[in-house]
Amino acid sequence: MLEASLAAGLCSVGADVVSVGVAPTPAIAFVARTGEYGLGVIISASHNPAPDNGIKFVGHDGRKLPDEEEETIESLMSPPEVRPSGAGVGVYSTNLDELAAYLDYLVAIVPERLDGMRVAVDAAHGAAYEMGPEVLRRLGADVVEMGVSPDGMNINAVGGATKPEAVQEFTKGSDAAIGIAFDGDADRAVFSDEQGRLINGDRTIGIWAAHYQSRGELDPPTVVGTVMSNGGFEAYVTSRGIKLERTPVGDKYVAQRIVQTGALIGGEQSGHLIFPRRGPTGDGLVTMLELFRVLKVEGRPASAFYDDYQPWPQIMINLAVASKDGWQEKVKAELEAGEKALEGHGRLVVRPSGTQPVIRVMVEADDYGLRDEVAESIVVAMQRELGGHVEGRVDLTYALGD
């Protein structure tokens, strides 16, 4: 319904619209930057439930539109005084061949092929339900799959990148060498080793960067993460002579820092990774193939990389508050005390939600006791000074992050 309405509106003002059907978000970014298109449009719930469907735009270069361009589009939403008529009305058509070109592009990422590799795929009943298994089979992998029967309402409902425990169990139970879970629109990917242990975005970046650093091909020796990237991960890449550049949470900030630094990889714990040589935005299928290529070249199972580093204890506490106004000043003393206690041993990241009356407190330390002590002191202060209560508490040490 959304596609039909949007296409009709665009055609009514003279734009031609080409539909490629159900496809991953990064596929549209690829088509937009390689074809003769002025705009790419994706209708997607992303990593959310079906009722949260929205509209994403990418420019002709495949990049997400900056805020000012989206605001310009919004300002033009009023009906035009004069609409085209007759031959001036745009043409609506379908072209599934555009996706064939994207599939060929993906296959070329792994010239070594994946013959003999048994892969468990969880497509979250989302956009990669066909293309994810298909590209692996073309590369010679033995594929077992789940989450490949979308009905329009079951997207992200069970399993997928936001619920990785499903692919972890599926990987173990199917004797796969590795498991891959996409989110609904397939711009994220997280993994399970053959023992059912989670390989999140931090670990994926670590495996990929260490491999290319050892070959002298990580130039510059820099990776981009966020304030949520684990301290154990940072210590690991630093020990290998690789610098971690941190940004605020959000893939657009990661993308900006990649451009600024020239880094060859960046991303978030959630599995939203960017390989700028492959494209300017996150692509879960590219992430999958880049990791699998490293495993193939190294000739080692995924589990062999798991103990390359131990993550530092990390916790996220969400506090619902009566008001966020002046929150920093009200708990300034406790925040400063927490920073001092963690100096040289961890980090404290406190940030208000942009959409909810919630303040998020992330505490990380090289010791569980220190982590919990600092977290508790700040939470107690916020409850006292801001009238807040704990809405959620998540141990992120071995999890996905935010």
Side-chain angles (χ1 to χ4, degrees):
M1 182 192 74
L2 291 173
E3 180 190 12
S5 299
L6 184 61
L10 290 167
C11 288
S12 76
V13 293
D16 293 335
V17 177
V18 177
S19 171
V20 299
V22 177
T25 289
I28 304 307
F30 173 84
V31 171
R33 73 174 185 269
T34 57
E36 297 181 358
Y37 296 97
L39 190 68
V41 183
I42 304 101
I43 298 168
S44 171
S46 188
H47 54 280
N48 301 308
D52 293 340
N53 265 312
I55 300 173
K56 297 181 181 180
F57 294 100
V58 295
H60 63 86
D61 58 358
R63 299 179 186 274
K64 292 182 179 179
L65 295 187
D67 292 343
E68 54 270 23
E69 290 191 25
E70 289 192 348
E71 289 168 2
T72 299
I73 291 173
E74 290 176 3
S75 72
L76 299 173
M77 293 299 286
S78 299
E81 293 183 7
V82 179
R83 288 182 181 272
S85 62
V89 173
V91 175
Y92 174 84
S93 61
T94 59
N95 185 355
L96 302 185
D97 290 341
E98 296 284 23
L99 296 184
Y102 176 62
L103 193 58
D104 291 341
Y105 154 78
L106 292 174
V107 169
I109 290 174
V110 190
E112 298 83 1
R113 295 182 52 83
L114 301 173
D115 297 283
M117 181 183 286
R118 185 171 173 82
V119 181
V121 176
D122 177 6
H125 297 301
Y129 79 103
E130 285 186 317
M131 196 168 288
E134 173 65 16
V135 68
L136 291 170
R137 290 192 174 102
R138 285 201 186 186
L139 288 166
D142 174 19
V143 180
V144 290
E145 56 195 56
M146 64 177 289
V148 292
S149 302
D151 62 11
M153 295 305 299
N154 57 3
I155 186 171
N156 298 311
V158 178
T162 58
K163 303 178 182 71
E165 58 277 1
V167 79
Q168 291 171 254
E169 288 298 320
F170 185 53
T171 303
K172 285 175 60 180
S174 57
D175 295 322
I178 191 165
I180 163 77
F182 300 106
D183 68 336
D185 69 337
D187 61 357
R188 299 185 187 190
V190 297
F191 305 88
S192 169
D193 73 6
E194 71 273 20
Q195 298 177 30
R197 297 179 297 184
L198 176 65
I199 299 174
N200 65 9
D202 280 355
R203 287 192 181 277
T204 304
I205 294 172
I207 292 169
W208 191 92
H211 170 76
Y212 284 100
Q213 175 75 336
S214 70
R215 295 159 61 98
E217 298 176 17
L218 192 71
D219 184 21
T222 301
V223 298
V224 177
T226 74
V227 293
M228 295 299 295
S229 298
N230 191 277
F233 161 68
E234 181 173 20
Y236 169 66
V237 295
T238 300
S239 73
R240 300 188 65 95
I242 301 170
K243 182 181 180 182
L244 172 64
E245 291 273 351
R246 292 184 183 271
T247 74
V249 171
D251 62 287
K252 70 176 181 180
Y253 301 112
V254 172
Q256 289 168 2
R257 190 65 60 84
I258 285 174
V259 172
Q260 293 164 359
T261 62
L264 302 181
I265 189 172
E268 302 177 275
Q269 287 177 317
S270 64
H272 197 285
L273 270 58
I274 299 172
F275 296 84
R277 290 181 175 177
R278 302 294 183 190
T281 57
D283 186 329
L285 288 100
V286 166
T287 298
M288 171 184 72
L289 296 171
E290 287 284 357
L291 177 62
F292 288 4
R293 187 184 186 195
V294 170
L295 299 182
K296 186 71 173 182
V297 172
E298 292 266 356
R300 301 164 62 198
S303 59
F305 297 87
Y306 193 84
D307 293 324
D308 284 352
Y309 75 87
Q310 291 297 316
W312 285 7
Q314 190 181 79
I315 194 168
M316 171 73 80
I317 303 171
N318 293 327
L319 288 114
V321 295
S323 173
K324 294 182 289 187
D325 294 341
W327 68 270
Q328 286 176 297
E329 283 301 316
K330 293 176 182 177
V331 292
K332 181 179 180 180
E334 287 78 9
L335 294 176
E336 291 178 347
E339 293 277 11
K340 184 175 181 180
L342 291 168
E343 189 172 356
H345 296 279
R347 297 181 302 120
L348 171 63
V349 179
V350 183
R351 56 191 176 93
S353 166
T355 57
Q356 302 168 293
V358 170
I359 295 177
R360 309 189 196 282
V361 179
M362 191 284 287
V363 182
E364 175 185 84
D366 55 10
D367 174 80
Y368 277 98
L370 176 59
R371 179 199 72 173
D372 294 343
E373 179 183 338
V374 171
E376 190 62 23
S377 67
I378 292 173
V379 167
V380 168
M382 286 191 170
Q383 289 175 318
R384 181 182 67 245
E385 301 296 335
L386 303 175
H389 67 272
V390 175
E391 193 171 69
R393 188 186 300 256
V394 182
D395 191 319
L396 297 176
T397 310
Y398 291 94
L400 287 176
D402 195 12

